[in-house]
């Protein structure tokens, strides 16, 4: 008789933290409940959508509920700007404007709200993307955790640049613009008082200048994705699924800072599933790999860009494989649910 390992159990009628984690449970919630209620959507779920009738314009919206509000390398205000600017940029667009909505808990010290708003404004100015409209609501104590932020971004696509999660092709080089795991481990360490935040800081930053640097490569840039919730593992699995390709990654090529590795070993986490807020994955034609790396490394936010893998011809569709340091291969699965809640 063969023993069967039971799969994860969750209540069908209850929303779990994992439903917002960007992994398998999020996909189930979207496909089974949200999209049918909105008449569904054909094609892959991208970081930003093309405006109907205006294919050169893209729009993206996101809500930020990070805890704690302030952490080394950022806070909820700057994170909200960077997250939405980056989602617009991942569709090959130059961000044009932002809207901001604040949902504030009664009793929040005005000094904290002033600090969040100041950081948000400074981040928008530094990115060169103005906040043009917004809204503020105040709710009773306990209705939210201090302050939540929603941002919406509008962007215009760079001429000739048309990346999509469905356009990765066999032979593509897989590039990563910088180290992974910094944001998730910093926020978790700050929240739980683990002490790692003294050695690391969130990588939260805008990535639209990196995308602009890749724009001259045009259609040779096939896919762009910032690996936020669910980390690099989720981003690669989404691309492999939506493009119908296999992806192979070299473990030794993936940059993991020592402090991130130590934190993950202590907590039993895989760095591949830890959230990031300042790096991106690019799938580019093999003829463009060297040019793309040079373009990324020419900017401060991309100076540590590396090639981490490729799309093999004839590989199993939708599968992501890691070639380990000892020469073995292991499948990198889509994360199921919430490993690090309230990260963004």
């Amino acid at each position: 008789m063969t023993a069967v390992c039971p799969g994860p159990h969750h209540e069908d009628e209850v929303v779990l933290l994992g439903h917002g984690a960007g992994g398998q449970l999020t996909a189930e919630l979207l496909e089974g409940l949200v999209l049918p209620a909105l008449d569904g959507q054909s094609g892959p779920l991208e970081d930003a959508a093309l405006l109907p009738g205006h294919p050169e314009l893209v729009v993206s919206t996101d809500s930020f509920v990070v805890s704690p509000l302030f952490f080394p390398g950022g806070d909820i205000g700057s994170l909200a700007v960077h997250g939405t600017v980056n989602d617009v940029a991942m569709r090959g667009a130059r961000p044009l404007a932002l809207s901001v909505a604040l949902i504030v808990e009664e009793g929040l010290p005005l000094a904290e709200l002033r600090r969040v708003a100041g950081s948000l404004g400074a981040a928008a100015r530094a990115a060169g993307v103005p906040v043009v409209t917004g809204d503020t609501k105040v709710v009773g104590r306990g209705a939210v955790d201090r302050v939540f932020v929603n941002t919406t971004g509008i962007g215009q696509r760079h001429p000739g640049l048309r990346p999509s999660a469905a356009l990765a092709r066999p032979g593509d080089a897989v590039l990563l613009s910088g180290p992974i795991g910094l944001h998730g481990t910093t926020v978790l360490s700050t929240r739980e008082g683990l002490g790692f935040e003294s050695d690391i800081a969130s990588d939260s930053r805008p990535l639209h200048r990196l995308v602009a640097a890749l724009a001259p490569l045009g259609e040779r840039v096939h896919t762009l994705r910032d690996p936020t919730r669910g980390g690099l593992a989720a981003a690669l699995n989404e691309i492999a699924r939506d493009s119908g390709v296999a992806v192979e990654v070299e473990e030794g090529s993936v940059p993991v800072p020592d402090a991130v590795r130590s934190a993950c070993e202590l907590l039993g986490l895989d760095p591949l599933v830890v959230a990031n807020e300042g790096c991106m994955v690019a799938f580019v034609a093999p003829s463009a790999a060297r040019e793309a790396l040079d373009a990324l490394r020419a900017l401060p936010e991309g100076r540590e860009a590396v090639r981490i893998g490729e799309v093999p011809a004839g590989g199993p569709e939708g599968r992501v494989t890691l070639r380990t340091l000892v020469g073995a291969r292991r499948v990198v699965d889509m994360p199921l649910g919430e490993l690090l809640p309230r990260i963004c």
Side-chain angles (χ1 to χ4, degrees):
M1 182 176 179
T2 302
V4 178
C5 181
H9 173 73
H10 61 274
E11 295 293 336
D12 290 338
E13 300 300 324
V14 175
V15 175
L16 307 175
L17 275 175
H19 282 117
Q24 183 178 332
L25 289 180
T26 299
E28 290 178 6
L29 185 68
L30 291 174
E31 294 167 6
L33 190 154
V34 177
L35 293 179
L38 303 176
D39 299 324
Q41 175 178 325
S42 60
L45 297 178
E46 306 276 8
D47 284 329
L50 306 184
L51 283 180
H54 302 276
E56 300 308 309
L57 297 178
V58 303
V59 61
S60 180
T61 192
D62 206 346
S63 297
F64 296 85
V65 298
V66 64
S67 176
L69 298 182
F70 308 99
F71 46 85
D75 56 73
I76 195 171
S78 59
L79 180 66
V81 170
H82 297 160
T84 298
V85 163
N86 293 347
D87 281 348
V88 168
M90 292 307 107
R91 290 307 304 273
R94 177 174 64 90
L96 299 176
L98 296 169
S99 77
V100 172
L102 303 176
I103 303 175
V104 184
E105 182 185 20
E106 177 190 17
L108 179 75
L110 283 176
E112 291 192 12
L113 184 58
R114 185 175 295 111
R115 184 177 171 189
V116 168
S119 177
L120 192 154
R125 289 189 292 272
V129 186
V131 176
V132 297
T133 190
D135 183 47
T136 302
K137 293 291 190 297
V138 177
V139 297
R141 295 175 186 266
V144 300
D145 186 0
R146 301 168 72 188
V147 60
F148 293 163
V149 182
N150 175 271
T151 46
T152 296
I154 298 288
Q156 184 172 27
R157 302 175 93 185
H158 293 281
L161 196 56
R162 298 291 183 268
S164 168
L167 291 181
R169 295 290 180 263
D172 278 358
V174 181
L175 312 181
L176 182 66
S177 69
I180 65 169
L182 288 165
H183 178 72
T185 50
T186 298
V187 171
L188 181 64
S189 182
T190 304
R191 181 193 305 161
E192 304 298 335
L194 302 178
F196 290 103
E197 70 273 15
S198 62
D199 301 316
I200 55 177
S202 169
D203 62 341
S204 179
R205 57 188 167 191
L207 301 173
H208 59 306
R209 296 183 181 96
L210 289 181
V211 174
L214 295 179
L217 300 178
E219 293 185 358
R220 292 190 291 169
V221 178
H222 296 158
T223 303
L224 299 173
R225 181 61 62 93
D226 59 332
T228 53
R229 296 179 303 171
L232 186 60
L236 294 178
N237 271 280
E238 289 166 353
I239 294 166
R241 177 197 66 206
D242 293 338
S243 294
V245 298
V247 178
E248 289 192 359
V249 173
E250 292 281 355
E251 182 180 20
S253 298
V254 178
V256 182
D258 289 341
V260 171
R261 194 180 304 278
S262 297
C264 288
E265 289 175 354
L266 175 67
L267 299 168
L269 297 173
D270 183 345
L272 295 178
V273 306
V274 178
N276 312 277
E277 289 291 348
C279 66
M280 72 176 185
V281 179
F283 284 60
V284 302
S287 63
R290 174 47 55 188
E291 292 175 78
L293 279 175
D294 290 344
L296 295 175
R297 290 170 178 169
L299 294 172
E301 55 267 46
R303 65 181 180 274
E304 297 179 80
V306 292
R307 178 172 178 160
I308 62 170
E310 64 279 328
V311 177
E317 293 185 6
R319 178 175 294 179
V320 179
T321 304
L322 185 75
R323 293 192 290 267
T324 68
L325 295 174
V326 297
R329 281 179 166 82
R330 73 172 176 90
V331 174
V332 178
D333 291 320
M334 172 71 84
L336 175 65
E338 191 75 77
L339 298 175
L340 304 174
R342 304 285 302 281
I343 289 296
C344 62

